[in-house]
Amino acid sequence: MNSGERIFDIRNIRVTFDTPDGPVKAVRGVDMHVNAGETVAVVGESGSGKSQIMMATMGLLASNGRAEGSVTYRGQELIGLPRERLNRIRGAKITMIFQEPMTSLDPLYTIERQISEPIMVHGGLSASAARKKALELLKLVHIPDPERRLKSYPHELSGGQRQRVMIAMALANDPDLLIADEPTTALDVTIQAEILRLLAELQKKLGMAILFITHDLRIVEAFASRVYVMQKGEVVEEGTTDDIFHRPTKAYTKMLLAAEPEGSKSPVSAGTPILLDANKVSVTFSSGGGFFSRSAFELKAVQDVTLTLRAGQTIGIVGESGSGKSTLGRAILQLLPSEGRVVYQGVPIQGLDRAGMRPYRRNLQMVFQDPYGSLSPRMTVGEIITEGLLVHEPTLSAREREEAAIKALEEVGLDPIMRNRFPHEFSGGQRQRIAIARAVVLKPTVIVLDEPTSALDRSVQKQIINLLRRLQESYGLSYIFISHDLAVVKALADYTIVMKTGRVVEQGPTEEVFRDPKSDYTRALMRAAFNLKEVLKRPTEAHA
Amino acid sequence: MFGYVLRRLLGAIPTLFLIITLSFFLMRVAPGGPFDRERALEAKVLENLNRVFHLDRPLWEQYLYYLGNLARGDLGPSFIYRDFSVQQLLGSGLPISIQLGATALLLALLIGSVLGTIAALRQNSWVDYGVTAVATFGITVPNFVVAPLLSLVFGVWLSLLPAGGWGNGGPANMLLPVITLALPQVAVIARLIRGSMIEALRSDHVRTARAYGLPARMVVIVHAMRAACLPVVSYLGPAAAALLTGSVVVETIFGLPGIGRYFVQGALNRDYTLVMGTVIIIAVFVVVFNLVVDLIYAALDPRVRYD
């Protein structure tokens, strides 16, 4: 193979979806190419059409989608190619890995079967030869205990392991081009770093080209040699990674680069009154132990966590999935049964029932991660925002509640005219503003924010961070900010707690924790989040 | 798995006991008795009958007596068909009901899943609309309309098939009742398969199978079909129990000696033991089929565990 040869050429591709509201142009004429052995990134925010180009190329568009234009692989036109002939290329010469490691593998079949199928179909191998190949591939992607894993089902594997299985499938037939569609977005940062390191290592070993689709500029910078920046179905800028990151010419690219969370919060003084004091909070989940069976399975989700929140303070709780950080947030607000002692403004609230907690609820508010699931689809935004007032200020008239809704919407930067609309008419960022308005309208003192920015694009995330900062300054709010995203915590919190498997591994003033992390785990997190490039150079170890 | 089956069967005993107890007393709450006639029997005859069938004892004694017999596997004598025990009645009728019901179920599964799959693969085409229309028709038209129409057209007008009767269970005799029983099931299964198949075809793992160049046939049969079967399997438990225990409408219209009619006749005649026998049979079928469904489900879906 001749390095530098152009193997994949996209010319003026357009993707249109027919919807009940008329045709929607998702991709409006994009040119792109990939040379042999090269790593190219396509970066853009949600809705930029970056994934749809690849779906169109691979014949995977939804049934209401149409692709026009030209995509050639080594001179062979792919758009409009009959399915039988396309099937000889996809899965063999061009392979794909997807964003959702949880759902991209068939839950009903073993790993062995799923890796073997494309090997048998494309390579014509027998079942036993395919099995041998599958085992080799699992070793290649460093899955621990590969023999046993062949017999496993997807639900028995972690997210990182499933993504390794997908990579093994992708490599099975010696592809020329691997298209990776946000392959690490659903994974924890440390796992993400390992998967990226694996891809880089395999590319070096096997020499295929990689087309990497992502919204995450840090990955692009560490991983790709050339970049296409997409916005609203078009490529706005293209160039080498070095050019794009250091000499961007287009406003949109500059905006994306500037969207990394910035700023910091100075700690509150030591004498500031304590609002919320949680002492040795533990949460245990048990399952099983039904009527007829004896053994119950117990999971200690949170173990002996102590935190003190002072007026105007923001405590950041950082951890990967399964660290217990969300559970801790809920336990502190008495939304889950827990052990320990929680005191709010001198009053012990630990173990209070619903009615007992009600007087304190308006002061202790919560904002959830999923802006799609946490707003009732059958209520108008105005009703959603003022529902809490019905409970906590029952004397207010409908008119006064309306005024409160208008004020709250203005507060979070939304046009109050929108209060009669329903949540589905809003974008993710707008919905998160609505959720914040719902909390703020009650004039709380403490808000627990559970990954409030994780489902949002970076540029929207930055706006939400600025909004939270402004509200904190205006009302002297205290936040408990739960996130897996170290950059966001660094920008917003003045005190940081790092959690792993239910325990606190490190805590201290944010500035200190980030400048000089004491525990190995915190250091690994920091490297994966802030120094990906260095991590990718290290040799691969077998796990995840 | 064996331990699981055993646990489930043992767990069913209290359920059955509760059903038997409730039905026993509910039957007795209903006014009238097995020997009430338009013209009352002579007092002496009635007294003798009551004594023979233990109806002169207090209710709790009758209940214990029934349970005692039941524990020995004796369902008691029928009060109305006085030459037969309930065992004999059910023993001759049940095989016929099972034969009809099982044939109808298999037919419905076969036709229903083929129709549903075709409709899903050609979503929003005329084929799809056709299947959906037929399915809606099958669900909405009641069997007491379908049965006489079939009998009239094929039995009387065209004289192709017997209009009724069991014969010796020959295919000609079974055809019309089986069609009547299967029609609504075809409709339900086709709709279920269509819905779950459309969902399965849109799922991420089917997208993966396509992206890896697997032949279309393999994508549909291996990766989409198995997931699409799961809701149908859940539906089949109660459906099978209902089909195999006979249908009073179909048996009456086609004059078939199944057990479905005993349930209605027994209840109308206050034939206490016969109703109890039918209740027990149906309850056992429901319990067993739910267990079978759970076993099939676990075999199809590795995420399901026995516990």
Side-chain angles (χ1 to χ4, degrees):
Chain A
M1 185 193 308
N2 179 351
S3 165
E5 180 199 357
R6 189 177 283 205
I7 56 168
F8 190 63
D9 209 351
I10 297 176
R11 287 272 157 257
N12 191 25
I13 191 155
R14 296 171 308 270
V15 179
T16 313
F17 290 97
D18 294 315
T19 70
D21 305 327
V24 173
K25 289 182 176 156
V27 180
R28 307 149 179 266
V30 165
D31 292 330
M32 244 179 228
H33 70 269
V34 181
N35 298 327
E38 171 183 49
T39 307
V40 179
V42 181
V43 66
E45 299 197 291
S46 51
S48 61
K50 55 192 190 299
S51 291
Q52 293 310 330
I53 296 180
M54 305 311 150
M55 294 300 161
T57 305
M58 300 289 272
L60 299 174
L61 284 178
S63 56
N64 63 338
R66 284 178 279 127
E68 296 155 292
S70 155
V71 177
T72 51
Y73 163 70
R74 291 186 183 275
Q76 166 75 62
E77 177 64 53
L78 299 182
I79 301 291
L81 193 66
R83 194 165 53 194
E84 287 71 27
R85 290 180 60 198
L86 184 60
N87 276 347
R88 268 178 249 154
I89 295 171
R90 56 181 185 182
K93 292 292 125 195
I94 305 178
T95 56
M96 231 178 145
I97 52 181
F98 299 95
Q99 174 172 357
E100 305 83 6
M102 297 312 185
T103 54
S104 292
L105 293 168
D106 193 329
L108 305 181
Y109 294 98
T110 59
I111 301 304
E112 176 185 337
R113 168 136 191 187
Q114 297 190 53
I115 301 181
S116 301
E117 272 178 350
I119 301 178
M120 290 156 72
V121 166
H122 293 291
L125 268 66
S126 69
S128 65
R131 183 182 184 279
K132 246 177 88 186
K133 181 95 192 258
L135 184 63
E136 274 168 35
L137 287 162
L138 286 188
K139 285 179 183 157
L140 187 69
V141 298
H142 307 295
I143 282 201
D145 204 356
E147 275 95 358
R148 201 164 59 84
R149 282 303 170 214
L150 277 181
K151 297 275 165 256
S152 299
Y153 289 93
H155 71 275
E156 296 166 319
L157 273 61
S158 70
Q161 287 174 337
R162 290 184 216 193
Q163 210 55 300
R164 283 171 194 264
V165 169
M166 278 301 301
I167 295 172
M169 273 176 80
L171 299 176
N173 294 301
D174 284 326
D176 258 357
L177 173 65
L178 173 64
I179 300 175
D181 187 358
E182 302 261 14
T184 59
T185 306
L187 304 174
D188 282 325
V189 275
T190 52
I191 312 291
Q192 164 174 299
E194 280 166 23
I195 294 290
L196 291 173
R197 194 160 60 191
L198 173 69
L199 280 175
E201 177 206 300
L202 292 170
Q203 185 180 26
K204 212 179 218 175
K205 204 185 276 178
L206 307 171
M208 76 279 187
I210 295 182
L211 182 52
F212 200 98
I213 302 164
T214 184
H215 69 283
D216 191 337
L217 287 158
R218 280 173 301 189
I219 297 179
V220 176
E221 191 178 16
F223 196 70
S225 52
R226 216 151 52 76
V227 187
Y228 292 92
V229 181
M230 281 193 70
Q231 182 197 16
K232 292 180 184 156
E234 285 169 349
V235 170
V236 289
E237 189 165 3
E238 58 175 291
T240 63
T241 306
D242 188 49
D243 279 343
I244 293 286
F245 277 80
H246 299 107
R247 290 168 292 281
T249 58
K250 296 293 188 309
Y252 183 72
T253 313
K254 287 177 188 162
M255 190 278 289
L256 276 186
L257 289 169
E260 289 297 298
E262 47 191 27
S264 61
K265 185 177 182 306
S266 46
V268 294
S269 60
T272 320
I274 293 174
L275 270 184
L276 193 67
D277 196 14
N279 201 1
K280 288 196 176 263
V281 175
S282 296
V283 180
T284 309
F285 292 122
S286 52
S287 66
F291 196 66
F292 287 108
S293 56
R294 286 146 282 133
S295 62
F297 169 76
E298 286 202 337
L299 175 77
K300 291 201 152 90
V302 175
Q303 290 185 67
D304 297 334
V305 176
T306 297
L307 68 82
T308 307
L309 180 69
R310 294 172 188 274
Q313 196 179 25
T314 301
I315 296 183
I317 302 179
V318 181
E320 299 191 292
S321 50
S323 63
K325 55 191 191 302
S326 291
T327 309
L328 173 65
R330 281 160 207 230
I332 289 173
L333 293 192
Q334 307 302 316
L335 293 168
L336 277 177
S338 59
E339 294 150 58
R341 183 178 158 81
V342 180
V343 177
Y344 171 70
Q345 290 198 318
V347 186
I349 56 169
Q350 177 67 33
L352 287 184
D353 59 9
R354 273 186 193 209
M357 271 308 288
R358 197 159 291 137
Y360 305 103
R361 285 269 178 244
R362 80 171 295 173
N363 290 319
L364 301 169
Q365 282 295 305
M366 185 147 189
V367 173
F368 298 93
Q369 169 173 5
D370 178 6
Y372 295 88
S374 58
L375 303 176
S376 166
R378 285 174 193 80
M379 290 167 76
T380 66
V381 165
E383 286 167 350
I384 289 171
I385 292 175
T386 55
E387 196 181 17
L389 291 173
L390 291 174
V391 179
H392 296 292
E393 283 193 42
T395 55
L396 286 187
S397 67
R399 191 181 186 106
E400 285 168 312
R401 279 201 307 277
E402 176 116 7
E403 277 159 15
I406 292 172
K407 191 157 170 290
L409 280 170
E410 280 169 350
E411 202 87 72
V412 298
L414 289 176
D415 189 343
I417 290 176
M418 297 177 176
R419 68 184 179 282
N420 293 322
R421 297 199 193 159
F422 289 89
H424 70 265
E425 297 171 67
F426 294 86
S427 70
Q430 288 175 320
R431 289 183 211 214
Q432 210 54 297
R433 285 171 191 268
I434 294 166
I436 292 170
R438 167 169 67 178
V440 169
V441 79
L442 295 170
K443 309 209 167 54
T445 51
V446 177
I447 304 182
V448 174
L449 300 142
D450 189 359
E451 303 260 17
T453 59
S454 301
L456 308 174
D457 279 326
R458 268 290 193 220
S459 60
V460 183
Q461 214 173 60
K462 190 173 182 182
Q463 296 163 11
I464 298 290
I465 291 169
N466 289 336
L467 169 66
L468 289 172
R469 227 180 236 148
R470 206 185 67 228
L471 291 171
Q472 182 165 46
E473 277 158 21
S474 327
Y475 296 103
L477 290 172
S478 305
Y479 295 142
I480 293 178
F481 189 89
I482 298 164
S483 181
H484 71 281
D485 189 335
L486 277 83
V488 179
V489 169
K490 187 181 177 193
L492 212 49
D494 56 80
Y495 192 88
T496 299
I497 295 176
V498 182
M499 284 185 71
K500 189 190 181 195
T501 55
R503 290 179 184 279
V504 173
V505 287
E506 180 158 3
Q507 58 179 315
T510 301
E511 200 270 326
E512 246 171 65
V513 171
F514 280 78
R515 179 169 38 84
D516 184 19
K518 298 282 185 296
S519 77
D520 288 344
Y521 179 68
T522 315
R523 277 197 288 272
L525 274 184
M526 301 270 171
R527 269 200 309 274
F530 299 117
N531 211 345
L532 200 53
K533 205 161 194 165
E534 188 210 323
V535 177
L536 295 190
K537 284 184 197 141
R538 292 163 171 249
T540 316
E541 304 127 38
H543 62 98
Chain B
M1 193 181 102
F2 180 72
Y4 172 76
V5 172
L6 200 69
R7 264 208 315 282
R8 281 283 298 269
L9 290 177
L10 288 176
I13 290 174
T15 314
L16 288 176
F17 177 74
L18 199 71
I19 291 171
I20 290 166
T21 309
L22 273 175
S23 330
F24 185 89
F25 289 104
L26 276 175
M27 265 311 277
R28 301 309 178 94
V29 170
F35 309 120
D36 291 345
R37 294 289 178 273
E38 277 167 38
R39 269 175 52 204
L41 291 171
E42 253 178 77
K44 193 67 192 163
V45 176
L46 189 62
E47 199 191 309
N48 282 337
L49 276 172
N50 278 342
R51 197 173 51 243
V52 170
F53 289 103
H54 304 279
L55 292 178
D56 54 342
R57 321 295 298 184
L59 196 54
W60 63 268
E61 218 173 281
Q62 292 181 41
Y63 172 65
L64 291 181
Y65 180 74
Y66 184 78
L67 283 187
N69 281 342
L70 192 62
R72 286 193 298 276
D74 182 4
L75 292 169
S78 169
F79 287 52
I80 305 297
Y81 306 99
R82 255 165 270 168
D83 294 333
F84 298 97
S85 71
V86 171
Q87 272 107 310
Q88 284 168 326
L89 289 174
L90 295 178
S92 66
L94 191 58
I96 293 171
S97 292
I98 290 183
Q99 209 178 328
L100 282 171
T103 318
L105 194 66
L106 285 178
L107 192 71
L109 261 180
L110 200 71
I111 299 176
S113 30
V114 169
L115 284 182
T117 307
I118 292 173
L121 290 175
R122 303 258 180 280
Q123 203 195 339
N124 297 331
S125 68
W126 65 268
V127 184
D128 182 20
Y129 297 137
V131 169
T132 311
V134 169
T136 313
F137 182 79
I139 291 171
T140 46
V141 179
N143 56 3
F144 56 78
V145 173
V146 175
L149 270 180
L150 286 177
S151 181
L152 187 68
V153 173
F154 294 97
V156 180
W157 290 350
L158 300 177
S159 298
L160 286 174
L161 294 163
W166 179 241
N168 273 319
N173 290 80
M174 277 178 68
L175 195 58
L176 294 182
V178 163
I179 290 176
T180 313
L181 285 172
L183 200 62
Q185 304 300 331
V186 169
V188 175
I189 292 169
R191 287 178 65 115
L192 275 175
I193 288 271
R194 177 184 177 272
S196 53
M197 193 75 184
I198 287 174
E199 198 180 310
L201 286 171
R202 279 188 199 145
S203 66
D204 287 340
H205 66 262
V206 168
R207 180 183 65 186
T208 305
R210 287 204 173 113
Y212 278 82
L214 302 189
R217 184 173 23 88
M218 197 163 161
V219 173
V220 172
I221 295 172
V222 177
H223 290 280
M225 191 65 135
R226 185 154 159 191
C229 282
L230 293 174
V232 179
V233 170
S234 310
Y235 166 78
L236 279 185
L243 271 180
L244 299 195
T245 49
S247 148
V248 62
V249 173
V250 172
E251 285 172 16
T252 308
I253 291 174
F254 290 107
L256 303 171
I259 64 161
R261 64 213 158 102
Y262 290 149
F263 203 47
V264 175
Q265 286 171 5
L268 291 176
N269 294 331
R270 304 286 183 273
D271 192 343
Y272 298 142
T273 44
L274 185 56
V275 171
M276 291 303 295
T278 340
V279 165
I280 291 170
I281 292 281
I282 292 175
V284 167
F285 268 72
V286 170
V287 166
V288 169
F289 276 102
N290 277 331
L291 176 60
V292 170
V293 160
D294 287 351
L295 293 179
I296 296 179
Y297 210 103
L300 283 176
D301 190 342
R303 288 165 298 182
V304 177
R305 277 183 299 175
Y306 302 113
D307 52 22

